[in-house]
Amino acid sequence: MTSILEIPADEYMLPGNRSCAGCGLGIGLRYILKALEGKCVMTVPACCLTVLGGMYPISSITVPWVNSVFPGTAAMATGLVAGLKALKREDITVLAMAGDGGTYDIGIQGLSGAAERNANFLFVCYDNEAYMNTGTQRSGATPKGVKTTTTPIIGKIHSPKDMGQIMDAHNIPYVATTCISYPTDLYDKVKKAKDIYGLRYIHLCVPCPSGWQYDPKDTVTIGQLAVETGAIVLYEIENGIFRLTGRSRRLANGGKLKPITEYLSAQKRFANLDTSSLDELQEYIHKRWNEFITKDKTLTE
Amino acid sequence: MTVLNQQRVNNTHNHLSNPKTYPPGQHVVTGNQSAAIGAFLSGVQVVAAYPITPQSPVVEELAKFIEEGELPAEFVPVESEHSAMGVCIGASIAGARVFTATCANGLAYMCEQLHWASGSRLPIVMACVNRAMAAPWSVLNDQQDSMSQRDAGWIQLFCKDNQEIIDTVIQAYRIAEKVYLPVMVCYDGYILSHTVMPIEVPDGNKVKKFLPPYIPHTPIDISKPVNINPVTLADPRLNADGVLCHGYMEHKYLHHQSLRNSLKIIEEIDIEYKDIFGRSLGGLFSEYKTDDADVVIICAGSLSKMCTLVIDMLREQNVPIGLVSLRAYRPFPNQKLSVALKNKKLILTIDKSLSYGYQGPICIDIKSSLFESGISSTVISFVAGLGGRDIKPYEIAEKAYDYWNKFNKKELTNEIIYESQWINCKY
Amino acid sequence: MDHYKEVSNFFRNYKKDNITQIRWHGRGGQGAITSAKILAVAGFLAGYKGVTSAPFFGAERRGAPVIATTKLSKCTICDFSQIVSPDVVVVLDNTLLKTINVTQGLKPNGWVVLNTPQHFKYDFLQNSFNFIRVNATQIAEESGLISAGIPLVNTPILGTLLHVLPTIDLSHIHKALEQFFSPKAVLKNFDVISRVYKECSVEKIGNFLQELQES
Amino acid sequence: MNTRDCGHIISASSPAKGEAGKTGEWRTQRPVLNEAKCLAVRANKDICFQCWAFCPEGAIERKPGGPIDLTYCKGCGICAQICPADAIQMESEYDSPESTKSE
């Protein structure tokens, strides 16, 4: 595993960009582009990342970037791959990056089609668990109980989809989850994914101070809490082999999950949850955590 | 030429010059085959499409060329039309020559992508095999699909017969790559798409000469990265070097101007095509017996070929009638048409589509063109052939004869002038 | 009013194209559409400048009655409208006669080309039609032109059409077949077509009703 | 003044710092490094770099005591929060002797 000190100093995201103060996406983007050494062309639908990327005629990113319509990220990426292949320029990695709305909801058809075709690009879903760019509306990734502007009083009544499992069910060569609070985990996964042929899916948890309602300074610690409480689990599935990674792996190897309330109480979006919902959620987290541990046959290695 | 562009040139046109099954010369083929051969000869590098009747055989034919190894192109069997156009956009940005085909609801499904393609100024060529828009379901021909997308910023060219389809596809790449705009090659579903007729397949070696390699306007270059189509403000904005760059409106102005300029380009390229291949498609529109005509029929697509027969019939009945076949619908050749229609007393437009609540789109555009030029001809809007309703030459001839007589007897009522006349509607 | 009617009749009977119109009746999957196209190609090779062939524009499925058309003309065909009064109707399957009026719109003295076993009730025929009957199913069966257990009749019946359309000959059909089939399939199809052409002797062409009455 | 000189056919941006302007102006609190506490400064070695690693703006240089680019630092406070040595303090911009806007 790469350490922070081994991470290249090169930056491909420029300061003075349009992201919110404390936005986790900036951290994530920096490491993704570092891992790809800037040798990529990005494609991005309408989302927070579009805003971060900057308004014409100035770009905050020093790699080629092609914007896409909201549902069209995976198709655009497929097209870039096909076009570059036709021109024998396959040395360039095609990186598609969409938010949870552009992945779970409006983008899922195109993504599923591209996965079925095993189109040769890296898809990163940066998941901030709601439509943050349009003002925190609920998405297919929003956790149950969360207050958003479209679930304003009761909170979201549906559980989110498990996008990792959905992508894994497509039998693509690489699926991973990671979190911006563990940038070396992210870096290693992108680096590994870079050299795999086919559709590679990385799910990146990105805490959002405005949508999750916490102090911007806490972005990294909230992300850490997400992993330490088991709300987010870091894993990768490489050619069908599932293994927990990084902090999650260490927790599975003799560690202990923190109570979920530590993660939830740090954010106002969960303020609605009553005791029974919290118990239910805690139970769910443990059940899932145990499933992950059982699933990981490499833990004893 | 940069190294990157040189590389691109080398990588374009590495296909066989001619498809083995369709060597240069005469072949009896469907409209869909004609379009596919046209795409082959144009050396397309990426084909992405989703099946829809009556379009599917176009891409089936191309898939055959590709799987047989005759055409070294990438075939992307996408999961929707939305993605078909998405793939075309991506591949075109990457610098590849791309082709797709669709119709009707498929075209409507890619609507936002159509705007994205034209706004990105990508020379994508797409066959639109004209078919009626649901609901209710109909797989049969009319032109409501492409007409509904006339404002998507694409060039729209209509084909009269299968010969025009292959020639228009080849010309379309030349036009598209010259003005950096996507071109929709429209031809009537079934009437042309599924009907075989003789065509002359041009020699691929000549096509290669006619169609130089595609050079993208904004290459993907890691050493000179750009962010394509980011959020663009309403007003112009300075770049980091202090140069004032366009606002959204300036981009739209440029887009529109390029479409208007393409009026000239379409004509020039057609003339050049004629010099090389011996066939002209009439440039923006073609005329038949209009010189001495007092009354003119205007329509687009296969119907306009059938109408030459109608004109002959009516001429034998001493009706001074001629025909204008629209080829370019967008850009609309308003000025040239006004010249052609000067001194015409009665103009009969036949639309296979409707701008619901008003009249046929061709009629509306003709009327506004005439107004611009101060021509006060009487224009009557006919609607025909919706959802595959068969149109017989005699039906049109009877209508034209009838309305010409009414015009002469000053019997054209407001009902006729202000409302569309439906041909062969049994309601 | 009379004048209008006269003009209208003029339009309706206008025949500048002078198109020979052939209508094909078959069932989805029998290959009527392919044969209609082969005939168009053969016609083109035989010197018809204008040829078209199209399926009846619909969404017919396997087994359902289908219609295809072929138009042949000495000049370019401009009239893309559907055929209403054919010169020839080709019926690939005699069972169609029970449900479909195959002679609808058929021109007086037009031709009916029918694939049928010997004995069948032909009361649908009018006196004024010419008639060729051929047992293409049997010939296909004997010659082994069988696909998925079913004798193919769509191509064999082209052999009979050559008697109705004498400008087209076997060599044109052969060349046309090459556009549609592999060399092996061309050989096989052409063998059967030639046999059908020969066995369908000119004597058998005539007013079949008369033949029926005589028998 | 017209926009013709830019020569752009489409909307395509080129990279530059400060696309959103001097985002330092967004700050209400500024990070102030206490070098005496900073692990890297004290060791005078390339160690730690947590502040650099987690800056969402990329506004901190990868150097011991790596200067924070206050022109663009949005003052989120992550660096102060993440610093294992507690070497960065967030101080109110209003109490700060230097003007944020000076450049």
Side-chain angles (χ1 to χ4, degrees):
Chain A
M1 198 173 146
T2 313
S3 78
I4 282 286
L5 294 177
E6 292 163 328
I7 301 283
D10 296 332
E11 299 288 349
Y12 304 93
M13 184 192 82
L14 300 170
N17 61 58
R18 217 166 271 269
S19 65
C20 297
C23 172
L25 182 53
I27 303 172
L29 185 60
R30 281 178 60 209
Y31 287 88
I32 293 166
L33 297 179
K34 279 170 188 281
L36 297 174
E37 296 165 48
K39 287 180 192 134
C40 64
V41 48
M42 292 177 72
T43 179
V44 177
C47 59
C48 290
L49 185 49
T50 321
V51 177
L52 191 160
M55 292 181 183
Y56 174 77
I58 304 170
S59 168
S60 295
I61 310 296
T62 61
V63 302
W65 170 317
V66 180
N67 284 278
S68 155
V69 293
F70 203 0
T73 324
M76 179 73 94
T78 307
L80 288 165
V81 169
L84 291 170
K85 189 175 174 203
L87 295 164
K88 300 185 173 61
R89 297 177 69 197
E90 286 160 288
D91 52 316
I92 303 172
T93 301
V94 175
L95 165 67
M97 265 188 94
D100 45 300
T103 305
Y104 285 65
D105 296 347
I106 199 168
I108 196 168
Q109 176 179 313
L111 178 57
S112 175
E116 186 260 329
R117 297 186 302 268
N118 199 28
N120 187 27
F121 62 85
L122 170 61
F123 191 100
V124 176
C125 166
Y126 68 94
D127 181 9
N128 46 30
E129 301 185 347
Y131 289 87
M132 299 317 186
N133 192 33
T134 45
T136 324
Q137 293 83 12
R138 63 88 85 186
S139 80
T142 306
K144 193 172 174 178
V146 165
K147 280 218 266 187
T148 68
T149 52
T150 49
T151 54
I153 317 278
I154 307 168
K156 195 189 172 200
I157 53 173
H158 307 108
S159 295
K161 303 177 192 177
D162 187 336
M163 204 59 202
Q165 274 200 45
I166 291 172
M167 292 313 291
D168 185 33
H170 284 80
N171 291 320
I172 52 175
Y174 190 72
V175 174
T177 61
T178 183
C179 174
I180 57 99
S181 301
Y182 300 93
T184 52
D185 187 72
L186 167 61
Y187 179 85
D188 284 344
K189 283 171 176 168
V190 174
K191 222 166 167 54
K192 180 184 268 185
K194 180 176 175 280
D195 296 325
I196 296 173
Y197 181 91
L199 200 145
R200 299 138 275 166
Y201 176 81
I202 294 180
H203 197 98
L204 175 63
C205 167
V206 176
C208 166
S210 58
W212 296 15
Q213 299 174 53
Y214 63 81
D215 189 321
K217 74 178 166 46
D218 294 328
T219 291
V220 175
T221 38
I222 295 263
Q224 287 167 345
L225 275 173
V227 174
E228 284 167 353
T229 58
I232 302 291
V233 179
L234 309 181
Y235 65 79
E236 64 182 6
I237 310 169
E238 197 181 347
N239 291 321
I241 295 169
F242 177 94
R243 59 186 294 274
L244 294 167
T245 65
R247 185 83 185 113
S248 293
R249 192 172 185 84
R250 287 196 296 279
L251 284 166
N253 276 332
K256 192 169 178 279
L257 290 184
K258 286 181 178 170
I260 189 70
T261 44
E262 277 194 38
Y263 170 62
L264 304 179
S265 60
Q267 308 163 53
K268 251 174 98 181
R269 62 175 178 152
F270 288 108
N272 240 20
L273 291 179
D274 55 20
T275 325
S276 71
S277 310
L278 287 173
D279 289 347
E280 199 185 305
L281 187 59
Q282 184 64 71
E283 202 181 319
Y284 169 73
I285 298 269
H286 274 134
K287 186 172 160 272
R288 197 176 62 150
W289 177 245
N290 288 331
E291 280 169 14
F292 278 133
I293 290 177
T294 320
K295 208 171 163 187
D296 189 342
K297 307 291 181 216
T298 70
L299 271 177
T300 48
E301 279 168 16
Chain B
M1 198 181 280
T2 64
V3 176
L4 215 63
N5 284 343
Q6 186 57 53
Q7 186 188 352
R8 232 168 249 127
V9 170
N10 292 342
N11 284 331
T12 319
H13 285 251
N14 53 357
H15 62 295
L16 294 177
S17 298
N18 293 297
K20 279 183 222 145
T21 32
Y22 304 102
Q26 294 203 297
H27 296 271
V28 179
V29 295
T30 64
N32 282 337
Q33 286 172 310
S34 183
I37 303 164
F40 180 109
L41 295 175
S42 304
V44 293
Q45 294 163 303
V46 175
V47 178
Y50 187 73
I52 184 169
T53 302
Q55 163 270 138
S56 309
V58 186
V59 278
E60 289 168 3
E61 194 78 32
L62 281 165
K64 225 185 287 170
F65 289 141
I66 293 167
E67 285 200 2
E68 278 171 358
E70 287 188 63
L71 182 63
E74 293 293 310
F75 184 77
V76 190
V78 283
E79 79 300 326
S80 72
E81 286 89 355
H82 192 282
S83 287
M85 188 45 65
V87 169
C88 286
I89 291 169
S92 186
I93 287 175
R97 187 172 282 163
V98 302
F99 179 81
T100 186
T102 190
C103 61
N105 290 53
L107 184 71
Y109 191 35
M110 59 169 74
C111 177
E112 70 164 331
Q113 297 277 32
L114 295 180
H115 286 264
W116 201 271
S118 66
S120 309
R121 307 295 302 277
L122 298 173
I124 295 165
V125 172
M126 172 166 69
C128 177
V129 189
N130 289 122
R131 163 183 150 177
M133 288 294 309
W137 280 124
S138 166
V139 297
L140 304 181
N141 165 252
D142 67 34
Q143 293 165 351
Q144 189 70 46
D145 51 0
S146 54
M147 286 296 179
S148 296
Q149 300 302 335
R150 67 179 181 184
D151 299 334
W154 285 54
I155 291 173
Q156 287 190 339
L157 302 174
F158 281 83
C159 305
K160 284 204 282 278
D161 56 25
N162 293 359
Q163 181 69 60
E164 286 205 359
I165 296 172
I166 189 168
D167 294 335
T168 302
V169 167
I170 294 164
Q171 285 195 13
Y173 280 103
R174 184 69 197 285
I175 297 164
E177 290 166 15
K178 179 134 187 169
V179 298
Y180 287 121
L181 282 171
V183 180
M184 208 181 285
V185 177
C186 306
Y187 56 91
D188 289 311
Y190 290 107
I191 298 171
L192 299 182
S193 73
H194 280 59
T195 302
V196 299
M197 57 188 79
I199 67 162
E200 171 86 24
V201 173
D203 182 350
N205 292 311
K206 284 189 188 169
V207 176
K208 277 186 189 181
K209 275 189 206 134
F210 172 74
L211 191 57
Y214 161 43
I215 309 286
H217 51 67
T218 311
I220 300 288
D221 186 348
I222 285 172
S223 63
K224 213 180 152 217
V226 289
N227 181 340
I228 295 173
N229 291 324
V231 177
T232 300
L233 297 168
D235 289 330
R237 188 182 179 209
L238 294 173
N239 69 9
D241 301 325
V243 179
L244 193 67
C245 297
H246 311 312
Y248 181 89
M249 205 154 158
E250 284 72 24
H251 283 297
K252 292 299 117 181
Y253 177 81
L254 271 176
H255 182 172
H256 176 70
Q257 281 315 115
S258 297
L259 253 170
R260 292 304 287 172
N261 291 343
S262 68
L263 283 168
K264 205 173 101 220
I265 305 294
I266 292 167
E267 281 191 302
E268 286 171 2
I269 286 174
D270 188 43
I271 290 166
E272 200 183 316
Y273 193 84
K274 193 187 175 199
D275 288 345
I276 298 170
F277 300 98
R279 280 186 303 279
S280 161
L281 308 186
L284 300 164
F285 56 88
S286 50
E287 296 177 66
Y288 183 67
K289 299 187 180 174
T290 48
D291 281 352
D292 60 338
D294 289 327
V295 47
V296 168
I297 291 177
I298 302 180
C299 53
S302 63
L303 181 61
S304 65
K305 179 152 180 170
M306 198 161 88
C307 279
T308 57
L309 201 62
V310 175
I311 301 302
D312 292 345
M313 290 178 181
L314 287 157
R315 282 278 176 174
E316 287 189 36
Q317 289 294 324
N318 299 317
V319 179
I321 194 164
L323 172 73
V324 170
S325 314
L326 272 182
R327 178 167 181 252
Y329 179 61
R330 284 293 180 274
F332 196 72
N334 50 340
Q335 201 179 345
K336 282 231 155 184
L337 274 170
S338 300
V339 174
L341 298 174
K342 212 174 173 174
N343 304 324
K344 307 301 174 205
K345 291 175 184 159
L346 180 65
I347 292 161
L348 312 172
T349 62
I350 312 175
D351 277 277
K352 277 187 175 181
S353 63
L354 262 173
S355 177
Y356 292 100
Y358 191 18
Q359 292 173 337
I362 293 174
C363 174
I364 297 167
D365 288 337
I366 291 288
K367 281 180 179 174
S368 78
S369 305
L370 295 179
F371 182 81
E372 288 161 359
S373 318
I375 300 170
S376 55
S377 317
T378 302
V379 182
I380 300 176
S381 163
F382 290 95
V383 172
L386 298 189
R389 182 64 57 87
D390 197 27
I391 306 172
K392 295 266 175 269
Y394 73 78
E395 289 169 342
I396 298 169
E398 281 175 0
K399 289 280 180 200
Y401 189 81
D402 186 19
Y403 283 87
W404 173 237
N405 281 318
K406 282 197 174 99
F407 174 81
N408 285 328
K409 291 184 207 155
K410 300 197 173 12
E411 285 173 4
L412 290 175
T413 59
N414 279 352
E415 179 78 4
I416 293 166
I417 302 290
Y418 292 103
E419 302 298 332
S420 286
Q421 306 302 305
W422 291 56
I423 295 177
N424 195 14
C425 175
K426 305 278 169 54
Y427 184 77
Chain C
M1 210 56 219
D2 276 344
H3 170 68
Y4 267 87
K5 191 140 198 173
E6 201 178 294
V7 173
S8 173
N9 279 336
F10 171 81
F11 292 149
R12 278 162 201 259
N13 299 320
Y14 191 83
K15 269 198 234 52
K16 191 193 168 193
D17 284 12
N18 198 18
I19 301 171
T20 305
Q21 304 177 96
I22 299 110
R23 190 172 66 207
W24 297 69
H25 292 274
R27 293 187 184 276
Q30 275 183 338
I33 293 162
T34 307
S35 288
K37 280 184 191 172
I38 295 170
L39 181 63
V41 175
F44 181 71
L45 297 169
Y48 286 103
K49 208 172 149 209
V51 298
T52 66
S53 172
F56 180 79
F57 311 141
E60 282 82 7
R61 301 290 175 188
R62 189 160 287 266
V66 296
I67 293 175
T69 59
T70 309
K71 294 181 182 179
L72 305 167
S73 171
K74 291 286 171 202
C75 32
T76 307
I77 293 173
C78 296
D79 183 354
F80 296 136
S81 70
Q82 288 162 19
I83 288 179
V84 284
S85 51
D87 300 273
V88 183
V89 292
V90 186
V91 186
L92 290 186
D93 181 346
N94 60 11
T95 58
L96 286 163
L97 301 174
K98 288 185 187 169
T99 48
I100 302 204
N101 179 11
V102 296
T103 57
Q104 186 172 35
L106 184 61
K107 283 185 188 143
N109 298 316
W111 288 87
V112 178
V113 175
L114 176 68
N115 171 39
T116 176
Q118 208 72 17
H119 302 292
F120 195 78
K121 224 175 152 205
Y122 301 98
D123 52 5
F124 71 97
L125 289 173
Q126 287 168 27
N127 218 350
S128 55
F129 298 139
N130 297 307
F131 183 69
I132 309 180
R133 179 199 53 197
V134 64
N135 192 346
T137 311
Q138 196 192 332
I139 300 171
E141 218 160 37
E142 286 167 11
S143 313
L145 190 67
I146 293 168
S147 169
I150 299 161
L152 296 177
V153 293
N154 62 326
T155 43
I157 211 160
L158 285 163
T160 54
L161 272 165
L162 301 187
H163 295 287
V164 186
L165 304 163
T167 39
I168 302 175
D169 64 38
L170 275 169
S171 68
H172 302 128
I173 294 282
H174 190 276
K175 222 170 158 213
L177 287 173
E178 287 170 358
Q179 261 194 41
F180 293 83
F181 303 118
S182 66
K184 220 174 119 188
V186 168
L187 221 71
K188 205 161 190 184
N189 277 279
F190 187 70
D191 266 1
V192 185
I193 294 169
S194 316
R195 235 190 99 190
V196 168
Y197 174 69
K198 279 179 205 125
E199 290 190 14
C200 178
S201 64
V202 178
E203 287 92 299
K204 283 186 186 164
I205 302 168
N207 190 320
F208 193 73
L209 275 189
Q210 224 164 355
E211 192 188 311
L212 266 185
Q213 279 156 14
E214 281 163 14
S215 63
Chain D
M1 197 173 171
N2 61 48
T3 62
R4 272 165 226 171
D5 290 344
C6 79
H8 289 172
I9 296 176
I10 57 162
S11 191
S13 306
S14 296
K17 274 188 187 178
E19 183 279 318
K22 287 176 185 144
T23 47
E25 292 168 5
W26 300 10
R27 236 173 21 238
T28 57
Q29 288 192 307
R30 68 165 58 191
V32 178
L33 177 75
N34 181 351
E35 295 201 340
K37 285 187 177 179
C38 173
L39 299 175
V41 173
R42 282 172 60 187
N44 194 23
K45 264 207 263 185
D46 283 2
I47 55 165
C48 187
F49 292 151
Q50 293 289 305
C51 53
W52 166 78
F54 286 103
C55 176
E57 197 63 25
I60 302 178
E61 261 189 69
R62 193 182 176 281
K63 273 199 229 167
I68 301 170
D69 189 343
L70 289 176
T71 312
Y72 299 118
C73 164
K74 289 169 184 159
C76 68
I78 288 176
C79 53
Q81 185 77 1
I82 207 76
C83 176
D86 214 10
I88 300 174
Q89 293 296 313
M90 297 306 288
E91 291 178 5
S92 169
E93 280 293 339
Y94 302 102
D95 303 336
S96 167
E98 309 149 49
S99 164
T100 321
K101 293 183 174 89
S102 71
E103 186 50 35

